């Protein structure tokens, strides 16, 4: 292993794990037990100090096989229950999440480096996800189609069977709940592989699912392990019926191709380079706080981050000056401090990527209006901190205007009119989200319709809810998560034809 120094937070992580995981040791949760992997050793590093939090072993093929076998049996039992019983079991998962909310939030903060004020909110949202889909279980019914023949024709929404879910490191527990709850509601079993960098809260959620009354053991397995080994084995497994991937476009393309080789469908929730458009007639005070939340929330490690600020030329200089002033005052610091709004970057590789992209942007002519590196007060912590950073004077075809940074880095581009704002916003292969700030209601709707993106906010940014569909256009992916639309992604529709005529017309064949 790595020879890293021990993080002072390691003991606290171990204590929290013993609260939420059987035996308290890190492994994969399969059918109510924690299985130790057989693959390579993996280290968990504390983003707040760079020290070692814990080590574990990549799950490997035997654990994948055990999870898939458990899923097969549990899914049959689950789909055999009444819809109301499935709803009660999902509600029980939500109640367990609420009971362990503080431990889950603290664990996420220590292991992923997310500010505690954010993780508390995210844990509450995970409970809501199970509660929302608990309500859907006995309302997910098909339709009667008025066909022109003498048949009764109706549809049934049936589960795929075993769903493999692969998730990234930026919001591990939130993403796990976001995908597990609708998958179970629709009658599936889940085998989830979280990022190898942040498996702890997902594994803990798997253990809570196993404890929930009415949920068959093994219906949810969580594999602690790496992507190209454990994740790839789960995707390629012959029992896998649907793959849902949340992460980068590069890995998503590989995973969708691997699924397609077995004629298995996929849903891809990928990255973005979302435009936040501010017109001169906007409420500038609100647009200023909105622009900060858009790019600096979660230290910019958010798929919907508003990483391109398109601002009308008439207010460009004033808006950038006020935003830069504000950026220098957002509290950056230890994620465990309730006052912290921006914690560390999740991992050293991502920190190096952000640093490199900012250096390349200034080298290519962008002006540094705020930030640009580690805040002076945090330099001796060993943590992966990066100040809220604003790059002005960015050319529309510069790499920093096109490529996802996934960090607290904003590229500013001025525009002259509505048509140019829309053209700039759409000049990216991504299409995850976008926003428009304006005092004119009609313009808000016009621009919302013109943006090529799966989510658009008018005079706001970043609000999402489990009841509303979410997903990308273009390079940001395909398929939808959350709301009713997630249930359509997690089911396949069967059409049933029942002859009702006393003497059906025979159109073909020999009548003896
Ligand atoms: P990543 O693509 O590197 O990894 C995501 C997951 O895929 C991890 O669990 C990883 O182990 C796994 N993986 C990698 N290669 C694999 C393979 N060959 N087979 C199976 N699994 C494999 O992404 P990341 O760096 O963890 O996360 C950052 C990215 O996620 C950003 O691009 C971000 O925009 C995106 N993201 C998208 C959404 C969304 O909802 N659209 C949400 C959060 C993050």
């Amino acid at each position: 292993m790595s020879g890293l120094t021990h993080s002072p937070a390691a003991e606290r992580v171990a204590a929290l794990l013993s609260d939420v995981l059987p035996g308290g040791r890190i492994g994969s949760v399969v059918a109510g037990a924690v299985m130790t992997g057989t693959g390579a050793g993996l280290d968990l590093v504390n983003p707040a100090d760079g020290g070692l939090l814990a080590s574990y072993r990549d799950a490997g093929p035997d654990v994948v096989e055990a999870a898939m076998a458990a899923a097969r049996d549990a899914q049959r039992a689950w789909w055999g229950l009444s819809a109301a019983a499935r709803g009660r079991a999902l509600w029980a998962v939500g109640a367990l999440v609420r009971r362990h909310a503080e431990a889950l939030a603290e664990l996420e903060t220590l292991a992923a480096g997310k500010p505690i004020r954010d993780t508390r909110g995210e844990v509450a949202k995970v409970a809501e996800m199970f509660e929302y889909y608990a309500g859907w279980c006995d309302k997910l019914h098909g339709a009667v189609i008025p066909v022109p023949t003498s048949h009764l024709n109706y549809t049934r929404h049936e589960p795929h069977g075993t769903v493999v879910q692969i998730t990234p490191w930026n919001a591990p527990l939130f993403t796990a709940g976001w995908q597990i709850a609708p998958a179970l509601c629709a009658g599936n079993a889940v085998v989830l592989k979280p990022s190898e960098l942040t498996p702890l809260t997902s594994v803990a959620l798997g253990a809570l699912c196993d404890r929930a009354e009415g949920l068959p053991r093994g219906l949810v397995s969580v594999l602690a392990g790496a992507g190209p080994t454990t994740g790839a084995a789960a995707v390629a497994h012959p029992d896998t019926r649907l793959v849902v991937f949340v992460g980068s476009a590069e890995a998503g393309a590989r995973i969708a191709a691997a699924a397609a080789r077995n004629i298995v469908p996929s849903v891809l929730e990928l990255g973005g380079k979302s435009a936040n458009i501010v017109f001169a007639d906007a409420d500038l005070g609100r647009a200023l706080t909105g622009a900060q939340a858009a790019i600096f929330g979660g230290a910019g490690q958010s798929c919907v981050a508003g990483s391109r600020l398109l601002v009308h030329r008439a207010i460009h200089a004033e808006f950038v000056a006020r935003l830069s002033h504000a950026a220098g005052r957002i509290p950056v610091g230890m994620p465990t401090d309730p006052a912290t709004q921006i914690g560390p970057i999740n991992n050293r590789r991502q920190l190096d990527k952000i640093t490199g992209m900012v250096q390349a942007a200034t080298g290519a002519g962008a002006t540094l209006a705020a930030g640009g590196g580690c805040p002076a007060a945090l330099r001796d912590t060993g943590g992966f901190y990066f100040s809220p950073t604003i790059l002005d004077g960015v050319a529309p075809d510069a790499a920093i205007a096109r490529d996802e940074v996934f960090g607290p880095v904003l590229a500013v581009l001025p525009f002259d009119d509505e048509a140019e704002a829309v053209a700039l916003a759409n000049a990216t292969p991504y299409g995850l989200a976008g926003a428009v700030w304006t005092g004119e209601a009609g313009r808000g709707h016009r621009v919302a319709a013109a943006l090529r993106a799966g989510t658009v906010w008018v005079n706001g940014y970043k609000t999402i809810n489990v009841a509303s569909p979410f997903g990308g256009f273009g390079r940001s992916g395909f398929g939808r998560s959350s709301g009713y639309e997630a249930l359509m992604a997690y089911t396949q529709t069967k059409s049933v034809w029942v002859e009702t005529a006393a003497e059906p017309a025979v159109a073909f064949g020999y009548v003896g």
Side-chain angles (χ1 to χ4, degrees):
M1 299 213 181
S2 58
L4 287 166
T5 55
H6 178 84
S7 169
E11 278 69 39
R12 184 68 189 142
V13 165
L16 288 163
L17 270 181
S18 52
D19 186 28
V20 284
L21 260 189
R25 82 203 140 77
I26 305 171
S28 302
V29 166
V30 178
V34 177
M35 292 182 73
T36 302
T38 54
L42 296 164
D43 290 335
L44 298 181
V45 176
N46 185 350
D49 62 20
L52 183 67
L53 278 181
S55 300
Y56 69 105
R57 294 186 66 181
D58 188 1
D62 294 350
V63 178
V64 173
E65 202 51 54
M68 297 305 292
R72 204 165 42 227
D73 294 343
Q75 196 270 334
R76 277 194 210 111
W78 181 235
W79 189 233
L81 294 177
S82 72
R86 288 197 296 273
R88 282 194 295 276
L90 286 195
W91 190 270
V93 177
L96 281 168
V97 170
R98 288 198 188 279
R99 196 171 314 150
H100 295 276
E102 193 53 30
L104 290 168
E106 197 186 340
L107 196 54
E108 190 85 314
T109 287
L110 292 172
K114 293 178 74 86
I116 188 76
R117 68 202 289 276
D118 294 350
T119 55
R120 284 187 178 129
E122 288 182 6
V123 173
K125 283 187 181 150
V126 170
E128 275 173 28
M129 290 163 187
F130 284 94
E131 290 158 359
Y132 171 81
Y133 283 109
W136 260 115
C137 285
D138 58 3
K139 295 159 196 79
L140 182 60
H141 47 67
V144 176
I145 318 282
V147 291
T149 60
S150 53
H151 296 89
L152 167 68
N153 177 234
Y154 64 92
T155 57
R156 289 166 52 83
H157 297 300
E158 297 191 353
H160 289 271
T162 298
V163 177
V164 168
Q165 300 173 340
I166 312 258
T167 58
W169 44 258
N170 63 317
L173 183 64
F174 180 92
T175 312
W178 186 48
Q179 295 301 339
I180 292 173
L184 298 187
C185 173
N188 300 285
V190 169
V191 174
L192 180 136
K193 209 274 317 153
S195 168
E196 56 277 22
L197 300 174
T198 53
L200 300 186
T201 48
S202 303
V203 167
L205 181 60
L208 291 183
C209 287
D210 273 322
R211 273 192 239 166
E213 195 179 337
L215 210 85
R217 302 293 81 87
L219 190 66
V220 177
S221 290
V222 180
L223 304 171
T229 48
T230 297
V235 169
H237 195 280
D239 285 353
T240 298
R241 295 286 178 267
L242 172 72
V243 174
V244 176
F245 173 79
V246 185
S248 64
E250 295 70 28
R254 272 198 301 279
I255 286 165
R261 275 195 283 281
N262 292 345
I263 321 293
V264 166
S266 52
V267 171
L268 300 184
E269 294 284 1
L270 309 176
K273 190 75 187 175
S274 300
N276 187 24
I277 308 172
V278 183
F279 284 91
D281 64 359
D283 178 329
L284 294 190
R286 290 191 188 175
L288 270 168
T289 49
Q292 293 171 58
I295 183 59
F296 301 135
Q301 303 165 107
S302 159
C303 53
V304 295
S307 51
R308 288 183 301 151
L309 175 71
L310 311 187
V311 56
H312 193 273
R313 203 175 296 279
I315 54 164
H316 167 234
E318 180 203 343
F319 198 84
V320 171
R322 288 174 69 184
L323 192 59
S324 303
H325 178 80
R329 275 152 189 78
I330 303 173
V332 184
M334 288 291 162
T336 43
D337 181 346
T340 293
Q341 294 192 21
I342 299 181
I345 302 305
N346 174 273
N347 56 81
R348 179 168 297 283
R349 204 163 141 235
Q350 185 63 18
L351 176 69
D352 292 345
K353 179 183 169 198
I354 296 166
T355 309
M357 287 182 80
V358 170
Q359 281 168 359
T362 52
T367 314
L368 199 58
C374 181
L378 294 164
R379 268 185 209 138
D380 295 335
T381 59
F384 310 142
Y385 295 95
F386 203 88
S387 304
T389 296
I390 299 174
L391 293 163
D392 199 6
V394 171
D397 60 350
I400 200 72
R402 283 195 328 262
D403 301 337
E404 184 183 48
V405 178
F406 218 56
V409 179
L410 181 66
V412 184
L413 295 98
F415 66 84
D416 287 306
D417 58 28
E418 188 177 313
E420 191 191 1
V422 169
L424 281 172
N426 286 341
T428 153
Y430 290 109
L432 194 59
V436 48
W437 299 82
T438 175
E440 186 198 326
R443 172 149 53 200
H445 292 290
R446 269 197 314 277
V447 174
L451 291 185
R452 206 176 53 90
T455 297
V456 178
W457 296 279
V458 179
N459 294 330
Y461 208 100
K462 255 196 174 174
T463 324
I464 55 168
N465 187 269
V466 63
S468 182
F470 181 91
F473 287 17
R475 195 176 162 80
S476 292
F478 47 76
R480 289 295 174 268
S481 297
S482 61
Y484 173 74
E485 296 205 23
L487 295 176
M488 293 300 97
Y490 277 113
T491 52
Q492 41 198 350
T493 305
K494 179 182 280 178
S495 177
V496 181
W497 293 76
V498 183
E499 180 57 85
T500 63
E503 290 188 28
V506 178
F508 179 81
Y510 173 75
V511 181

